[in-house]
Amino acid sequence: MNTIEARFLAMVRQNPHNDVILNRMATFGLADWWLTAGCLAQTVWNLQAGFAVDAHISDYDLFYFDADTSFEAEDRVIAQIADLFADLPVRVEIRNQARVPIWYQAKFGFPYGPVMCAADGIGRFAYQTTAIGIWQNPAGQCRVYAPFGLENVMAGRVVPNPVLPVGTVYRQKTDRWRKIWPHLVTLPWPDDTGLN
């Protein structure tokens, strides 16, 4: 693990909810899973802004991959996760990334593309900055997956990821984030101009 990964992981683990989720998922029994997205980046931003480590985090996202794309199989995992984290005062959301291509086009109007592992979902976030996942094994060793690196999240710089045409989603989220974490610098979506 390199220096920036070690610093990032140390910051993320200061949020006790991230820590508990990683520890419990390590022995839950899913092979391909990641704690991902806002709960990681926003913990870092909270520390940088002097907020409580878990302030302003709406949910804690878990991605996993299961070739069984039935609604029933995913629903069973969702129910098990709800039980596993019932004592936490936060919302933990888990989704089978193998199912995303099934419903994505109907919801958003364009195809998502094939998914071969849980990390494929992380690489398609609208923001390179939050495209980060952490996995932990039962011995407590972590792996950080950051296809665009960690420099931007640590610098408070939000960079778009135009792999999918979701500029509206990007603008809505970044507008909200800047109100909460005013230190963030937001780069424009490719069809926009200027720096926010």
Side-chain angles (χ1 to χ4, degrees):
M1 185 174 292
N2 64 38
T3 304
I4 194 168
E5 280 186 3
R7 280 181 37 233
F8 173 77
L9 192 56
M11 292 176 84
V12 165
R13 302 267 337 212
Q14 288 183 52
N15 181 334
H17 308 308
N18 286 334
D19 199 53
V20 167
I21 292 166
L22 288 168
N23 288 334
R24 292 183 190 174
M25 286 303 297
T27 58
F28 178 68
L30 292 174
D32 182 4
W33 65 269
W34 298 91
L35 177 63
T36 188
C39 64
L40 307 178
Q42 292 166 14
T43 296
V44 170
W45 300 339
N46 281 335
L47 289 166
Q48 291 171 341
F51 298 145
V53 291
D54 60 349
H56 312 294
I57 299 174
S58 60
D59 56 33
Y60 291 71
D61 290 312
L62 287 165
F63 283 8
Y64 75 102
F65 183 87
D66 182 353
D68 182 347
T69 58
S70 69
F71 173 81
E72 294 76 17
E74 183 183 49
D75 208 41
R76 275 193 300 276
V77 174
I78 291 170
Q80 291 168 342
I81 290 297
D83 287 344
L84 184 65
F85 298 114
D87 61 317
L88 293 185
V90 297
R91 188 175 66 203
V92 179
E93 293 194 351
I94 189 162
R95 293 294 180 265
N96 181 5
Q97 296 305 290
R99 281 185 46 77
V100 177
I102 295 170
W103 55 260
Y104 194 90
Q105 184 162 359
K107 183 172 182 178
F108 293 103
F110 47 87
Y112 190 73
V115 174
M116 306 308 293
C117 63
D120 284 348
I122 295 172
R124 295 179 202 180
F125 288 161
Y127 338 87
Q128 292 182 11
T129 308
T130 64
I132 304 166
I134 300 175
W135 173 89
Q136 179 177 306
N137 70 17
Q141 298 164 318
C142 289
R143 187 168 66 220
V144 176
Y145 175 71
F148 305 102
L150 296 169
E151 292 77 11
N152 287 320
V153 72
M154 299 299 275
R157 186 172 45 249
V158 183
V159 178
N161 179 24
V163 67
L164 295 171
V166 290
T168 301
V169 171
Y170 178 83
R171 286 184 285 272
Q172 289 171 346
K173 279 264 181 106
T174 54
D175 285 349
R176 184 175 68 82
W177 290 348
R178 280 195 313 272
K179 289 174 186 164
I180 298 169
W181 298 281
H183 73 281
L184 296 179
V185 173
T186 305
L187 301 185
W189 190 258
D191 61 0
D192 293 341
T193 57
L195 184 71
N196 297 318

